Amino acid sequence: MNIDTILHFINIYGYLIIFLFLFLGIVGIPAPEESLLFLIGVLIAQHKLSFGPSLSSAFLGAFIGMLAAYVCGKYVGYPFIDKYGKYVGITNERWERTKINYMENIQKTIIFGFYIPGMRQISPYFAGISRIPFRKFFLLSLLGTFLWTVPFIVAGYYLGNAFNINPQYVPYLGVLFLFIFVFYVTFKYIKRKKQKSNN
């Protein structure tokens, strides 16, 4: 979906479409939601959207999307995998190994998984399938959603105020943010591996 389509929908449906985009982005296919969040900030700076309703719509869309995916994973996911997983190579051994690895890093995965396209879609389903306590998932998702939506919108707002940013170029900024994040994660991983090898 290009930027003109997004702007068209925002102009017609306003804050409801922001909610739906973020909700569907979490429960559906991976998408560059970072670009949308940054665009929202830019549009706020250009007085095309209001800060409070925009932030609330984005936050609630992502957060409720996480809860909906968790519920689907908890009540639909595991029975399906238990019955049909063996036909696609998901054996009990592989499932248990994956579950252990997930549980060891659950807090980081849920909170910071928002910054990784694909991970933020898989994480809530897997949390539900793994029977993570709802209260724990609720609180971690609440924190993760806040730490993901607010910085991108605020960054778009302040940069939109400081520079005359054309909304057409915002998707490229989303790609840049993703590249920086991947570079940072890769750098930290290599550094950690070197430290372990030296010890």
Side-chain angles (χ1 to χ4, degrees), residues 48-64:
K48 294 179 180 178
L49 292 172
S50 297
F51 189 87
S54 298
L55 181 59
S56 299
S57 299
F59 178 86
L60 289 174
F63 181 59
I64 294 176

Side-chain angles (χ1 to χ4, degrees), residues 26 40 101 104 111 122 153 196:
I26 294 294
I40 291 169
N101 291 335
E104 287 178 350
I111 295 174
I122 295 172
I153 292 177
K196 287 184 178 179

